[in-house]
């Protein structure tokens, strides 16, 4: 496995962002609640993910008066788990590696803030790193609160035949070491958030693991822990139990001791954005920075995605950062990412209500089937899945393709269009709407409408 310089994922800043430890923008909305005694909060992403998933969570914390210098998000260099935890695998990480990296990050947060303890919040696999750090990495005395959101604490399956050696197998050595003799480690206050039955990784049948009819040995309550406060969020999916407003409210209350003033997001008067271009060697997601990538930011017509003017352009250095960029909270933007050996990726976003230093970007992918189309538009929801029954998901005025009803299982929808002149395509997920322009797939372009919510 490639190994980054250890400092590269420990140090960062809101402006330059030299690595995995990123901080959010300045809080701009006061609340009567006294937050001076609340510890710094470190958010830990899940399998294959990035710190960028937490930017809307940061906005909610800031809206309720939490200061930017006490909000942090981890960017593990190799976010994907190994197929077997004990077997080295290129571009993937073990539970031991993530535990050691998290330990260094916590120490760095304590050094920066002067805090005696931190609160840790993890989505999915991020909870594995938190549990491992607290139990095996010396974290029990350094963590005030441990919040695990949709973490497969008893595996996605408990089996001696399937996913053998995986950290996601409830019968694995790793999860046994986390759950025996007790499921929580004394010291921190523990909470889990989980769905009632809509988490695709907490299902009694193996259908969503590609094994229909195979009992998993895991129930809907798989993420719950004995001895923890277990909060059920009805109807929410595997990601939403970390990123939805309801999840934010539960986490805020647990860590601060009071309900938030609001779960919405208050718009700031000014906007500064920054983030990294992260590498995708061979299509494998990493959080290693890309040097020499060119990022252009275009202000667009929010109703059509048509370009109005270029407002920012930068070639990334060794740290991979494409900003900072000063923009407007009223404008819609297209981010054009050009990296060697990858499609030219046009990422369209609805307006940003607040600043963020963790708007990380990755180049998109085009399959052989995609390249046969005239153009390809992808609707991407990083902080949740789509449910054909629950959600309104539209692309070009029609129901988005490939979205099943029932348990939410997919976070992207792909629309392939025939050859023709460039035109507008409107995408919609419930109340959030993003308009994009089409680009020729045969020339290596792909359009992505990336949702905030």
């Amino acid at each position: 496995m490639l190994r980054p310089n250890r400092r590269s994922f420990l140090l960062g800043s809101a402006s330059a962002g030299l690595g995995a430890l990123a901080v959010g923008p300045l809080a701009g909305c006061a609340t009567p609640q006294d937050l001076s005694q609340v510890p710094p909060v470190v958010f830990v992403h899940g399998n294959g993910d990035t710190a960028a998933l937490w930017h809307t969570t940061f906005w909610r914390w800031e809206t309720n008066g939490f200061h930017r210098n006490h909000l942090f998000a981890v960017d593990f260099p190799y976010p994907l788990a190994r197929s077997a935890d004990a077997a080295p695998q290129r571009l993937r990480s073990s539970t031991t590696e993530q535990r050691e990296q998290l330990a260094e990050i916590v120490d760095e947060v304590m050094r920066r803030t002067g805090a005696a303890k931190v609160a840790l919040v993890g989505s999915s696999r991020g909870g594995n790193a938190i549990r491992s750090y607290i139990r095996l990495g010396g974290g029990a005395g350094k963590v005030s609160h441990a919040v695990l959101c949709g973490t497969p604490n008893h595996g996605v399956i408990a089996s001696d035949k399937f996913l053998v050696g995986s950290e996601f197998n409830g019968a694995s050595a790793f999860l046994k070491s986390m759950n025996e003799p007790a499921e929580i480690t004394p010291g921190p206050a523990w909470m889990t958030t989980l769905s009632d039955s809509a988490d695709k990784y907490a299902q009694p049948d193996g259908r969503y693991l590609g094994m229909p009819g195979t009992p998993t040995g895991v129930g809907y309550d798989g993420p719950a822990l004995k001895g923890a406060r277990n909060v059920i969020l009805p109807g929410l999916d595997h990601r939403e139990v970390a990123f939805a407003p309801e999840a934010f409210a539960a986490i805020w209350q647990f860590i601060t001791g009071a309900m938030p003033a609001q779960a919405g997001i208050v718009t700031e008067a000014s906007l500064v954005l920054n983030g990294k271009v992260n590498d995708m060697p061979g299509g494998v997601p990493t959080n290693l920075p890309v040097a020499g990538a060119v990022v252009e930011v275009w202000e667009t017509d929010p109703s059509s995605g048509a370009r109005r003017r270029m407002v920012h352009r930068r070639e990334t250095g060794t740290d991979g950062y494409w900003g900072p960029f000063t923009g407007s909270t009223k404008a819609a933007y297209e981010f054009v990412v050009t990296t060697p050996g990858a499609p030219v990726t046009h990422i369209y976003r609805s307006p940003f209500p607040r600043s963020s230093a963790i708007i990380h970007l990755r180049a998109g992918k085009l399959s052989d089937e995609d390249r046969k189309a005239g153009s390809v538009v992808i609707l991407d929801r990083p902080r949740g899945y789509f449910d054909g029954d629950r959600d309104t998901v539209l692309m070009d005025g029609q129901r988005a393709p490939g979205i099943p009803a029932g348990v939410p299982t997919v976070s992207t929808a792909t629309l392939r269009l025939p050859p023709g002149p460039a035109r507008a395509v409107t995408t919609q997920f419930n109340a959030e709407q993003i308009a994009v322009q089409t680009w020729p797939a045969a020339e290596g372009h792909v359009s992505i409408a990336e949702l905030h919510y």
Side-chain angles (χ1 to χ4, degrees), residues 19 57 69 76 178 180 207 212 232 238 240 259 261 272 279 297 315 321 364 381 400 407 416 426:
T57 300
N69 291 334
F76 287 125
M178 293 298 103
E180 298 173 0
R207 171 184 174 189
I232 297 174
H238 178 70
E240 289 171 334
M259 287 297 293
V272 179
D279 202 6
V297 182
E315 181 174 333
Y321 273 73
R381 189 181 180 217
V407 175
R416 298 179 181 90
T426 300

Side-chain angles (χ1 to χ4, degrees), residues 268-449:
E268 286 182 304
S270 60
L271 180 73
V272 179
L273 300 176
N274 202 355
K276 282 190 297 153
V277 177
N278 286 333
D279 202 6
M280 288 270 289
V284 178
T286 78
N287 293 320
L288 301 178
V290 178
V294 175
V295 175
E296 297 174 355
V297 182
W298 291 79
E299 184 179 330
T300 64
D301 181 333
S303 65
S304 68
R307 290 175 172 178
R308 289 177 171 170
R309 61 191 179 105
M310 184 191 292
V311 290
H312 180 77
R313 186 183 189 277
R314 181 177 173 183
E315 181 174 333
T316 60
T318 55
D319 63 4
Y321 273 73
W322 57 264
F325 156 63
T326 300
S328 169
T329 58
K330 298 179 180 179
Y333 293 111
E334 170 197 357
F335 298 80
V336 186
V337 184
T338 305
T339 60
V344 179
T345 305
H346 305 259
I347 303 172
Y348 295 81
R349 306 286 285 267
S350 55
F352 287 77
R354 300 184 67 88
S355 300
S356 179
I358 52 173
I359 305 303
H360 299 336
L361 308 172
R362 285 177 180 156
K365 296 185 289 184
L366 284 172
S367 66
D368 291 341
E369 184 179 1
D370 291 337
R371 292 180 184 276
K372 295 176 184 177
S375 58
V376 175
V377 177
I378 298 171
L379 180 59
D380 182 24
R381 189 181 180 217
R383 280 158 284 279
Y385 293 88
F386 298 125
D387 180 340
D389 284 338
R390 179 191 65 182
D391 302 319
T392 298
V393 190
L394 304 176
M395 300 181 75
D396 210 23
Q398 303 295 320
R399 179 169 173 162
I403 298 178
V407 175
T409 58
V410 299
S411 61
T412 62
T414 300
L415 180 66
R416 298 179 181 90
L417 296 169
R423 68 177 182 89
V425 172
T426 300
T427 66
Q428 181 179 345
F429 167 69
N430 294 336
E432 186 173 3
Q433 191 172 91
I434 303 173
V436 313
Q437 286 284 307
T438 60
W439 295 85
E443 296 177 19
H445 292 256
V446 60
S447 299
I448 299 176

Side-chain angles (χ1 to χ4, degrees), residues 35 48 53 102 104 108 112 142 149 190 209 245 254 263 344 362 368 416 418 447:
L35 301 173
L53 268 69
L102 182 57
E104 292 192 28
E108 176 64 14
R112 288 191 194 185
K142 298 179 180 180
C149 307
W190 290 84
L209 304 177
F254 183 64
V344 179
R362 285 177 180 156
D368 291 341
R416 298 179 181 90
S447 299

Side-chain angles (χ1 to χ4, degrees), residues 1-10 76-78 82 89-102 104 286 288-289:
M1 174 181 288
L2 300 175
R3 188 74 174 174
N5 183 301
R6 296 187 71 80
R7 301 298 291 176
S8 72
F9 61 85
L10 284 173
F76 287 125
Y78 300 107
R82 294 174 175 179
Q89 191 172 4
R90 185 175 179 271
L91 303 179
R92 293 173 178 254
S93 58
S94 67
T95 55
T96 298
E97 288 169 328
Q98 289 209 338
R99 177 179 74 235
E100 293 173 349
Q101 290 162 8
L102 182 57
E104 292 192 28
T286 78
L288 301 178

